[in-house]
Amino acid sequence: YFEAVRQYYEASRDRAFLKELLPVLHSIVEWHVKGTRYGIKADPTDGLLYAGEQGVQLTWMDAKVGDRVVTPRIGKPVEVSALWYNALRSMAGFAADLKMPASRYADMADKAEEGFSRYWHKGLEHCYDVIDGPDGNDVCLRPNQIIAVSLKHSPLTELQQKGVVDACARELLSSCGLRSRARGYAGYTGRYGGDQRNRDSAYHQGTVWGWLLGPFALAHHRVYKDASLALSYLEPLLKELNCHGIGTLSEIFDGDPPYTPRGCIAQAWSVAETLRAWLILSKS
């Protein structure tokens, strides 16, 4: 939500809109600091967001089979902390533009940026997917960390941004999106099919998600500064317009070749993120 507001304000410079909305945005920040249901709370020790309880799925990786949460991700999911950091930096910018006090947001962002260094795995040269979980830190290579590079405000160093992009390109990238789990990890499922239990179990365990290709292309451009190359990662989706839902893009694809389209035949975020990235990169 904060990123949507930031993008709208960047495009429109609608100060009246921003002034009207700022108290709401401030309230959202404060409730995350105080804490709310499902264990959601900013950790005062490192400035990052913690979230999750047993039996509840909170992030976009939200499949549940009966009473089993397939990817619980209790702790501090990497993309949630990246979005939190981006929101705090955005709030500091909003407040400054409106000639209002911005130091609280800037200080919180500084703390979160310092805390974000805990996500980096020096040996693997990419981020943990979740830290401070019930079983420690989750080293599984998932695409969520690409969000930390694609956002306006990244908490990663330039070298770390390159490491994330390279790891995702090497292990997760397909012609239709990013796999939700790298093939080399136990539990990887390369085909989405079968009954609902089997489908839900595979949903975030290797299935390719089309919407992630937009953030990947933007992150790649941020690191390598080559708009034409970044755009080339989106081009294969053009043929998908005639493959499943005619004139639109599918929700998901198999993790293994030939990346058969699955799930919803017309998915809003697959379309929206592809268009958003294409427009940005076309102007770069």
Side-chain angles (χ1 to χ4, degrees):
Y1 183 61
F2 281 81
E3 176 59 8
V5 172
R6 188 201 65 75
Q7 289 183 36
Y8 171 76
Y9 180 62
E10 183 178 76
S12 67
R13 309 311 294 179
D14 187 344
R15 291 171 61 87
F17 164 83
L18 187 63
K19 186 175 182 179
E20 179 182 359
L21 208 58
L22 198 67
V24 176
L25 300 177
H26 172 78
S27 177
I28 293 171
V29 170
E30 291 305 311
W31 273 109
H32 279 76
V33 172
K34 295 175 187 176
T36 182
R37 59 181 178 173
Y38 306 129
I40 299 170
K41 182 176 174 59
D43 186 339
T45 62
D46 59 13
L48 304 174
L49 283 187
Y50 182 96
E53 293 177 351
Q54 292 295 331
V56 178
Q57 67 277 37
L58 291 182
T59 72
W60 79 274
M61 289 187 161
D62 58 355
K64 189 174 183 180
V65 179
D67 294 330
R68 180 174 72 91
V69 177
V70 180
T71 49
R73 306 184 75 221
I74 296 172
K76 297 169 183 172
V78 63
E79 79 280 14
V80 175
S81 287
L83 287 161
W84 173 241
Y85 170 77
N86 184 73
L88 294 172
R89 287 284 182 228
S90 297
M91 283 295 286
F94 296 160
D97 278 6
L98 295 176
K99 310 299 182 185
M100 300 174 70
S103 59
R104 171 168 166 75
Y105 305 119
D107 291 345
M108 291 173 66
D110 288 344
K111 190 174 188 64
E113 182 175 16
E114 181 180 357
F116 204 90
S117 64
R118 300 182 54 230
Y119 283 101
W120 191 249
H121 191 297
K122 292 183 179 179
L124 296 175
E125 299 303 306
H126 64 70
C127 292
Y128 289 106
D129 187 56
V130 181
I131 61 174
D132 296 345
D135 299 316
N137 299 340
D138 184 359
V139 73
C140 181
L141 177 56
R142 293 188 182 273
N144 302 299
Q145 59 194 284
I146 203 70
I147 303 300
V149 186
S150 67
L151 288 168
K152 171 74 172 181
H153 303 288
S154 174
L156 295 169
T157 67
E158 290 187 1
L159 189 61
Q160 290 170 344
Q161 291 172 22
K162 182 178 182 298
V164 167
V165 170
D166 289 349
C168 289
R170 184 175 61 249
E171 304 292 344
L172 303 176
L173 181 64
S174 78
S175 58
C176 303
L178 299 186
R179 295 180 186 88
S180 46
R181 185 186 185 102
R183 286 176 287 188
Y185 290 86
Y188 171 81
T189 306
R191 183 179 180 278
Y192 179 87
D195 60 20
Q196 184 173 353
R197 175 176 290 271
N198 287 327
R199 294 197 310 272
D200 286 351
S201 294
Y203 212 32
H204 300 295
Q205 299 292 67
T207 296
V208 167
W209 287 77
W211 77 271
L212 290 166
L213 204 55
F216 174 81
L218 293 173
H220 193 281
H221 178 251
R222 182 181 203 150
V223 169
Y224 287 101
K225 317 299 184 188
D226 188 334
S228 295
L229 180 56
L231 278 168
S232 73
Y233 291 111
L234 301 174
E235 289 174 358
L237 289 176
L238 290 174
K239 71 179 182 63
E240 294 299 327
L241 295 174
N242 298 313
C243 288
H244 202 195
I246 304 301
T248 187
L249 296 175
S250 298
E251 175 190 18
I252 53 177
F253 305 81
D254 282 345
D256 292 341
Y259 311 119
T260 303
R262 307 286 187 184
C264 303
I265 65 171
Q267 185 79 344
W269 58 355
S270 297
V271 174
E273 281 301 282
T274 302
L275 285 175
R276 185 176 73 90
W278 188 278
L279 289 169
I280 292 172
L281 293 170
S282 297
K283 297 175 182 177
S284 299

